[in-house]
């Protein structure tokens, strides 16, 4: 399971890279808006096997070639799912969402660990129900220590198994080490920002920065 400390940290790129690194399939239960926080023209119930252009699912396919699974729901507004659903007149039923059956599956949440799915359920609550090990994707710059430790504490308070933290961004050894030490969490590695982002460059960067064995 992939979550992060907030929006636009690099969660989807890391998820794509991880799929390629370990040969996993991909599923994002709910997508609000398109990748890059762009509004959809219409709502889709995510029927069929083809990824809708511009979604995180389509981006993961482009960057990894991994098999992906349809979202439980696509919502037009680039907002927290609870609000995007309200504006679209849609009732979300996260209790009915079940991860697809796959030998290896990367599940990506929306935004950070405490993003509301509904006005009663947070993504961290879903993670706790599924009991899937979670990787927290963190930035490396200013503010990341507090954001990262808050995410880790909120997950552990709900009994979510935390597999480790992965960083995205420029090198910052002290921030990474501080989060690892104070958060009592394994630091899995750091994905640098890539001048050219495509399948080949991402694959090479992931192989250089991470060990596939750490995700077994």
């Amino acid at each position: 399971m992939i979550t992060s400390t907030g929006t636009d940290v690099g969660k989807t790129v890391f998820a794509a890279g991880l799929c390629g690194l370990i040969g996993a399939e991909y599923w994002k239960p709910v997508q609000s808006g398109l990748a890059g926080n762009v509004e959809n023209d219409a709502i889709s119930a995510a029927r069929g096997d083809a990824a809708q252009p511009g979604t995180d699912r389509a981006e993961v396919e482009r960057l990894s070639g991994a098999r992906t699974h349809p979202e439980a729901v696509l919502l037009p507004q680039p907002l927290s799912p609870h609000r995007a659903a309200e504006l679209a007149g849609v009732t979300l039923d996260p209790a009915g969402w079940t991860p697809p059956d796959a030998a290896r599956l990367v599940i990506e949440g929306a935004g950070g660990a405490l993003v509301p799915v509904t006005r009663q359920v947070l993504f961290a609550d879903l993670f706790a129900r599924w009991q899937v090990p979670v990787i927290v994707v963190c930035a490396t710059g200013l503010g990341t220590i507090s954001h990262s430790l808050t995410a880790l504490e909120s997950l552990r308070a709900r009994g979510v198994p935390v597999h480790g933290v992965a960083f995205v961004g420029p090198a910052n050894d002290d921030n990474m080490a501080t989060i690892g030490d104070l958060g009592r969490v394994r630091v899995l590695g750091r994905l640098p920002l890539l001048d050219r982002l495509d399948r080949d460059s991402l694959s090479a960067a992931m192989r250089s920065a991470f060990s596939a064995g750490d995700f077994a």
Side-chain angles (χ1 to χ4, degrees):
M1 184 81 215
I2 306 295
T3 190
S4 70
T5 56
T7 302
D8 292 334
V9 173
K11 183 171 76 281
T12 299
V13 173
F14 174 78
L18 183 57
C19 285
L21 182 68
I22 66 174
E25 299 175 19
Y26 171 88
W27 181 53
K28 183 165 186 171
V30 57
Q31 169 100 35
S32 301
L34 299 179
N37 295 324
V38 177
E39 184 176 344
N40 281 327
D41 291 331
I43 189 168
S44 167
R47 298 183 181 89
D49 290 332
Q52 178 170 311
T55 58
D56 291 334
R57 179 186 174 200
E59 184 71 348
V60 168
E61 289 183 355
R62 180 182 77 85
L63 291 175
S64 71
R67 180 189 178 193
T68 66
H69 297 267
E71 302 90 343
V73 65
L74 293 172
L75 298 165
Q77 295 281 350
L79 301 170
S80 173
H82 82 286
R83 186 58 180 153
E86 290 173 350
L87 292 175
V90 173
T91 300
L92 298 183
D93 180 23
W97 298 347
T98 302
D101 187 19
R104 288 188 170 184
L105 181 67
V106 170
I107 305 172
E108 181 186 354
L114 295 183
V115 163
V117 182
T118 69
R119 291 197 178 270
Q120 293 76 40
V121 178
L122 307 176
F123 266 100
D125 299 323
L126 270 184
F127 305 159
R129 177 160 64 84
W130 290 337
Q131 282 296 294
V132 177
V134 169
I135 296 168
V136 181
V137 177
C138 310
T140 57
L142 184 66
T144 192
I145 294 174
S146 178
H147 297 160
S148 301
L149 296 181
T150 298
L152 290 168
E153 286 201 11
S154 68
L155 292 168
R156 287 176 173 146
R158 290 166 172 79
V160 177
V162 176
H163 184 76
V165 293
F167 290 88
V168 177
N172 191 323
D173 292 343
D174 187 73
N175 275 357
M176 293 169 59
T178 300
I179 290 166
D181 292 342
L182 293 180
R184 305 180 309 281
V185 67
R186 177 166 50 166
V187 175
L188 297 165
R190 177 184 65 86
L191 179 65
L193 300 179
L194 302 177
D195 293 331
R196 186 188 81 256
L197 181 58
D198 57 28
R199 190 178 303 182
D200 290 340
S201 64
L202 180 58
S203 177
M206 289 293 295
R207 290 196 307 271
S208 175
F210 298 94
S211 171
D214 287 341
F215 301 95

